[in-house]
Amino acid sequence: MIRILPIVLLALPASALTPKEEIAAQVAAARPILDGWQNQNPERAQRKLHIVYWSPSDREPAPRYRERLSTIMEDIRKFYAEEMEKMGFGPRTFALDHAADGLINIHVIKGRQPYAHYDVPSGDEIRNECKDQLAKEGVDLENETIVLFCNMSNWDPEKRTISQNSPYYASGTNRRGCAWQVDSPILELSQLANKGDKVQDGQYGNISLGRYNSIFIGGIAHELGHALSLPHNQERHDQHENCGIALMGSGNREYRAAQRGEGLGSFITLAHGLRLASHPLFCGSVKGMKDQPTAAPSDLSIKADGKALVVSGKVTSKVPVYGVVAYFDPAGGGDYDAPTATAVPDKDGRFTLTGNDLVAGKSGELRLFFLEANGIPSGFLSQTPYAWSYLVKPDGTADVSAIEAAMTLKPLFDVASQGGAAATAAFGKIDFSKSDPVVKQAATSLVRAASKTAPLPVPADEKGAFCALTTARWTSAKTGYGAASSGMLPEAPWVFAAGGRLFPDGLYAHAPATYTWQLGGTWKTLSGSCGLIDGRDGSVGFRITGDGKELFKAAKVKDGKVHDFKIDVTGVKELQLLTDDGGDDVRSDWGAWLAPVLTR
């Protein structure tokens, strides 16, 4: 049976509850929903976190690896239990597989290649090398969560230098996950309080041995969080003052820092405590763990309330929703700097959710996750279908015009990939009377693109006073991912929004990309904007050339930044708009040329 939970997310003053009061109220409300569903026709299993130790073919495991890693993993297990208990969930944490001697059972695997063969991106290769042996030892990588220690550090005890060339990342769901970590001879829990001895780390410089262990033991705890399906987040200002640094933000570097008298250390936010509470490794329930998410919000409204964002709506779900988590992610910085807000439905399904920690002068992305009692959130890590771009003005007030546009255009977005007829029909049903004109313009461009309307003549043959490059025929075009296109993006969010602003039209230009037009020397000015599509965290370089001469350059544009341009193209016969990777790789480099127009 489908349960309909009405959601009303109202604004509360930032000072309404302290972090401690907020935790007490929400956990007390969440547990009956969560525990009640899991205890009805329960399905339980003792799942364990498995530890793997991998070495290149020309290396042996580092000294005392088993003793060291056993004490480290036991402490991380204790850390998670302490954090969950402080929130009121009881000492929920993961179980470890112990051998008869009391130490952790560690699966030791020898790689197929020597050290020089492997590098930071070698995670999948290393995991695949472990797969067959782990299967023989009863660990199915497709259905278990592992921490995979890579013996890829280089320690010089005389020079006291340490470096690592290891995979160091993680990913996971409620069913399976993998955290790639690096081991070293100086990774030692007992050294956390050591402020006197120094090491020279290749990444962090001259630091104490205690600081080194905070960073790298905290790194294990942090990446394990990802393997448990947690995305990054940042503590709110009130949490920072009272709790410390969020583990899934920069808190990996502050693990147990209080032992050295260096601050409060790291902690798990309520947002992530709520997510962990239903994870099968933490709660022992496997009821519905293989299901697909069913929570589907409707009638959503996201409004600006001064310097806060307020959301209201309704969610439909087959499994009880015991929590809602919102991430308010300012542009730049990946998602490390995304503070959170949380809510739990009351007996009528109503709850309050308000985002107050908005960053002035930046665009951002609001991401909503609905937490179902079977441990399945409505998204993967930081990815969710419920994401919207917003803008925060320099005075700190929120601008949700891009969100309002996205909600107005949702019927069109739902059929954007189905072709022109479906897009045209959806367009005809949208009421644009209360929308900014740019919303209808963007919708018109999307319908044009979905209908594959033939482009207008090349600019050289255009006789009018202006020529939109998005509708003019290009001589050639290529992009680094997907096909060159104008009017719509190759996938959601479909329309051209950058820096929290919606544009009427655009050219999709994932780096590296080149668009070329013949102008015939008859145009005077080219104006428009360029930027990274909202929600993408890459960096893109933009250039405009005329007959091979550079006319405009924006060397490295990141998420949230839009560059406007107005350049002289007098006498130019061949015009090119180019994007490159901004000096790094092309991951997430969704560049766009936004409403570029030629005028006489």
Side-chain angles (χ1 to χ4, degrees):
M1 180 178 178
I2 293 179
R3 303 174 77 248
I4 297 179
L5 304 177
I7 301 173
V8 178
L9 293 81
L10 305 173
L12 283 178
S15 59
L17 294 175
T18 66
K20 187 175 181 179
E21 292 169 338
E22 177 188 43
I23 289 169
Q26 293 195 19
V27 173
R31 288 203 62 172
I33 302 171
L34 176 61
D35 298 344
W37 183 84
Q38 291 182 348
N39 291 333
Q40 184 179 12
N41 302 316
E43 298 176 31
R44 302 200 174 274
Q46 181 63 59
R47 295 173 66 83
K48 296 179 179 179
L49 178 68
H50 299 280
I51 310 302
V52 181
Y53 196 98
W54 172 93
S55 299
S57 62
D58 55 352
R59 285 193 171 188
E60 294 301 317
R64 299 181 56 255
Y65 75 93
R66 190 159 172 258
E67 292 80 4
R68 290 185 294 99
L69 298 185
S70 288
T71 58
I72 287 169
M73 293 309 304
E74 291 288 4
D75 192 70
I76 293 172
R77 179 178 183 274
K78 180 182 177 183
F79 169 82
Y80 273 92
E82 291 170 344
E83 292 297 303
M84 296 298 284
E85 187 160 35
K86 279 193 293 187
M87 287 185 236
F89 285 112
R92 299 188 189 201
T93 190
F94 55 88
L96 292 163
D97 184 21
H98 291 91
D101 62 1
L103 297 179
I104 295 173
N105 182 29
I106 298 179
H107 302 268
V108 179
I109 296 174
K110 180 72 76 172
R112 297 170 187 164
Q113 303 292 335
Y115 171 85
H117 172 81
Y118 302 99
D119 203 345
V120 175
S122 301
D124 285 340
E125 180 181 2
I126 292 171
R127 182 177 180 271
N128 287 334
E129 290 184 359
C130 298
K131 190 171 185 178
D132 289 344
Q133 181 175 327
L134 289 176
K136 292 177 183 177
E137 296 174 4
V139 179
D140 177 6
L141 288 181
E142 300 307 313
N143 289 288
E144 301 285 356
T145 302
I146 68 170
V147 177
L148 202 171
F149 286 95
C150 300
N151 185 12
M152 291 283 287
S153 67
N154 300 290
W155 164 242
D156 186 327
E158 294 184 0
K159 297 180 179 179
R160 298 193 65 77
T161 59
I162 183 77
S163 63
Q164 39 277 323
N165 194 35
S166 173
Y168 204 85
Y169 33 78
S171 178
T173 68
N174 68 316
R175 289 177 55 192
R176 60 178 175 265
C178 181
W180 288 266
Q181 290 299 295
V182 62
D183 182 38
S184 77
I186 60 172
L187 194 65
E188 186 83 65
L189 184 72
S190 63
Q191 296 297 326
L192 277 170
N194 188 336
K195 298 174 65 173
D197 295 325
K198 303 293 183 179
V199 296
Q200 183 70 32
D201 179 77
Q203 181 178 357
Y204 295 99
N206 186 34
I207 55 177
S208 71
L209 188 55
R211 178 75 172 154
Y212 172 88
N213 276 282
S214 272
I215 292 169
F216 285 94
I217 296 176
I220 300 167
H222 174 103
E223 298 302 337
L224 173 57
H226 290 321
L228 296 169
S229 80
L230 300 182
H232 291 125
N233 78 327
Q234 178 176 280
E235 69 282 354
R236 302 191 308 258
H237 286 95
D238 58 340
Q239 293 170 329
H240 180 82
E241 295 169 359
N242 293 276
C243 308
I245 309 297
L247 174 69
M248 299 310 296
S250 299
N252 56 313
R253 302 176 186 179
E254 306 300 325
Y255 185 83
R256 306 292 197 196
Q259 292 188 17
R260 298 187 304 280
E262 296 175 358
L264 296 175
S266 51
F267 77 104
I268 295 174
T269 61
L270 173 59
H272 287 167
L274 285 167
R275 292 182 71 148
L276 288 171
S278 63
H279 194 290
L281 272 173
F282 275 62
C283 67
S285 173
V286 295
K287 182 181 175 183
M289 67 174 286
K290 295 183 179 180
D291 293 345
Q292 294 298 312
T294 60
S298 60
D299 302 325
L300 281 168
S301 173
I302 303 173
K303 300 294 184 182
D305 181 15
K307 297 182 179 182
L309 287 179
V310 183
V311 185
S312 62
K314 182 172 67 177
V315 64
T316 301
S317 179
K318 292 181 180 179
V319 176
V321 173
Y322 69 94
V324 180
V325 176
Y327 297 81
F328 299 87
D329 188 8
D335 56 354
Y336 283 89
D337 52 355
T340 54
T342 56
V344 177
D346 64 17
K347 62 181 181 179
D348 299 316
R350 297 181 179 277
F351 60 89
T352 296
L353 183 64
T354 303
N356 294 293
D357 267 30
L358 307 180
V359 180
K362 280 194 172 186
S363 61
E365 184 176 63
L366 164 62
R367 296 190 291 270
L368 280 181
F369 290 81
F370 298 89
L371 310 182
E372 298 181 34
N374 55 3
I376 301 175
S378 55
F380 171 69
L381 292 175
S382 62
Q383 301 170 14
T384 171
Y386 313 115
W388 302 269
S389 298
Y390 61 87
L391 181 66
V392 184
K393 298 176 182 178
D395 64 359
T397 57
D399 179 345
V400 295
S401 56
I403 295 178
E404 292 171 346
M407 290 187 168
T408 299
L409 297 177
K410 186 178 185 301
L412 185 55
F413 294 165
D414 290 343
V415 299
S417 62
Q418 298 176 21
T424 300
F427 179 91
K429 296 177 181 178
I430 297 175
D431 180 7
F432 292 101
S433 61
K434 297 180 180 180
S435 299
D436 189 288
V438 73
V439 177
K440 188 172 184 179
Q441 293 166 2
T444 302
S445 298
L446 195 156
V447 172
R448 181 196 78 233
S451 303
K452 302 187 185 305
T453 303
L456 298 174
V458 297
D461 296 335
E462 173 60 53
K463 304 303 181 183
F466 70 91
C467 174
L469 291 183
T470 52
T471 57
R473 187 183 302 275
W474 53 64
T475 306
S476 63
K478 62 179 181 179
T479 60
Y481 170 75
S485 62
S486 68
M488 66 182 287
L489 298 169
E491 59 188 60
W494 303 114
V495 293
F496 290 83
R501 295 161 52 191
L502 178 66
F503 289 81
D505 209 344
L507 293 160
Y508 167 65
H510 189 295
T514 304
Y515 284 86
T516 305
W517 292 267
Q518 299 304 315
L519 304 192
T522 62
W523 296 94
K524 181 179 180 181
T525 303
L526 173 67
S527 59
S529 305
C530 59
L532 206 67
I533 294 298
D534 283 344
R536 310 290 175 168
D537 60 357
S539 61
V540 178
F542 293 90
R543 290 184 296 126
I544 299 175
T545 65
D547 297 329
K549 180 182 177 182
E550 186 171 277
L551 305 176
F552 167 83
K553 183 176 182 178
K556 191 169 186 176
V557 180
K558 294 188 175 183
D559 183 23
K561 299 295 183 182
V562 173
H563 287 250
D564 300 325
F565 57 84
K566 185 175 182 180
I567 59 176
D568 185 2
V569 293
T570 302
V572 171
K573 294 182 179 180
E574 182 178 88
L575 178 73
Q576 285 193 319
L577 272 56
L578 306 101
T579 62
D580 58 40
D581 66 4
D584 47 28
D585 60 43
V586 297
R587 182 183 62 85
S588 294
D589 283 354
W590 281 59
W593 296 98
L594 305 161
V597 175
L598 291 164
T599 53
R600 304 273 186 203

